[in-house]
Amino acid sequence: MGKNYRNRSKTSKTPRRPFEKERLDRELKLVGVFGLKNKREVWRCQYTLAKIRSVARHLMTLPEKDPQREFQGAALLMRLMKMGLLDEKEDKLDYILGLTVEKFLARRLQTCVFSTLKLAKSIHHSRCLIRQRHIRVGRNLVNVPSFMVNVDSEKLVEYAHTSPLGNNGRPGRVKRKKIAAAKEGGGDGDDV
């Protein structure tokens, strides 16, 4: 085995069996429902979920009153509750093992913009809006569709100040052209 020259750790893991029909169909359905770019985005969520579940399994092997289990378990549960993956009443490590990839994908900015906030006409439109810098979270402009929206910042997702799609935004290129033509032509510029 040679030296590892990578700067950062892996973010996804390819499947062991590349041509398993059920898995291929399941992944393709996820890609379609959540408007993903490719299957690597599904694999990335699966990898993250696998790491979280392995930590939870390790903590569950420790005794009930172990300080490491209490401290790290509470921290893990709090983090998942802040991300919106677990409810307030799901405060045991057992619930972490019940997490699914769909729950992770539902917390992405792309899905939130379309399904919960209704800022886009479709899931693919929401991806375009995010990539074209029309969406902000709080005061920060976010152009990453896979941005994980936590519970607190879900209320702060809206159109960017610079976006012509927002109510108070500057008009778009075509609208500005029509307004300029209307001023010059005396109002008959809308016949285009």
Side-chain angles (χ1 to χ4, degrees):
M1 190 96 179
K3 190 167 165 60
N4 183 11
Y5 291 103
R6 284 200 183 95
N7 264 347
R8 51 186 70 84
S9 61
K10 293 178 81 170
T11 57
S12 67
K13 189 176 176 186
T14 56
R16 278 200 190 116
R17 297 181 178 176
F19 303 112
E20 192 177 9
K21 178 125 179 67
E22 294 81 30
R23 183 190 51 76
L24 287 171
D25 293 341
R26 196 171 51 245
E27 286 174 352
L28 192 62
K29 187 171 185 210
L30 285 174
V31 166
V33 168
F34 291 100
L36 307 178
K37 184 174 98 176
N38 51 31
K39 290 188 180 176
R40 193 184 308 129
E41 292 190 331
V42 176
W43 298 339
R44 187 172 57 209
C45 283
Q46 286 174 340
Y47 188 62
T48 308
L49 181 62
K51 287 200 286 190
I52 289 171
R53 288 177 60 156
S54 70
V55 168
R57 266 195 315 263
H58 169 69
L59 291 174
M60 287 174 76
T61 59
L62 300 173
E64 196 66 44
K65 296 293 178 193
D66 192 312
Q68 182 186 2
R69 177 176 173 159
E70 287 180 349
F71 183 72
Q72 289 183 359
L76 183 62
L77 286 167
M78 185 64 71
R79 197 173 109 214
L80 293 175
M81 283 179 197
K82 277 185 183 173
M83 286 173 70
L85 297 170
L86 292 177
D87 293 332
E88 294 294 325
K89 56 186 175 285
E90 296 176 339
D91 57 348
K92 288 198 170 100
L93 290 173
D94 298 330
Y95 291 110
I96 295 175
L97 301 180
L99 285 174
T100 59
V101 178
E102 288 85 357
K103 281 192 176 179
F104 266 87
L105 293 173
R107 296 305 304 168
R108 290 165 45 112
L109 180 62
Q110 180 181 357
T111 314
C112 288
V113 165
F114 171 60
S115 61
T116 55
L117 302 168
K118 306 278 191 243
L119 295 176
K121 296 172 188 162
S122 71
I123 195 84
H124 306 291
H125 183 226
S126 69
R127 188 178 186 98
C128 291
L129 289 179
I130 294 165
R131 287 299 299 155
Q132 292 167 5
R133 302 166 55 90
H134 289 293
I135 303 293
R136 67 186 169 106
V137 179
R139 297 170 72 189
N140 301 328
L141 198 129
V142 180
N143 67 340
V144 181
S146 63
F147 177 82
M148 292 296 276
V149 181
N150 61 23
V151 177
D152 299 333
S153 61
E154 191 171 12
K155 299 180 276 295
L156 305 173
V157 176
E158 55 192 7
Y159 286 118
H161 293 303
T162 56
S163 171
L165 301 173
N167 295 340
N168 56 356
R170 178 179 174 214
R173 177 183 60 85
V174 176
K175 189 156 191 166
R176 286 197 311 266
K177 225 174 186 180
K178 283 184 181 177
I179 292 170
K183 282 182 184 173
E184 283 191 16
D188 56 316
D190 291 347
D191 299 329
V192 183

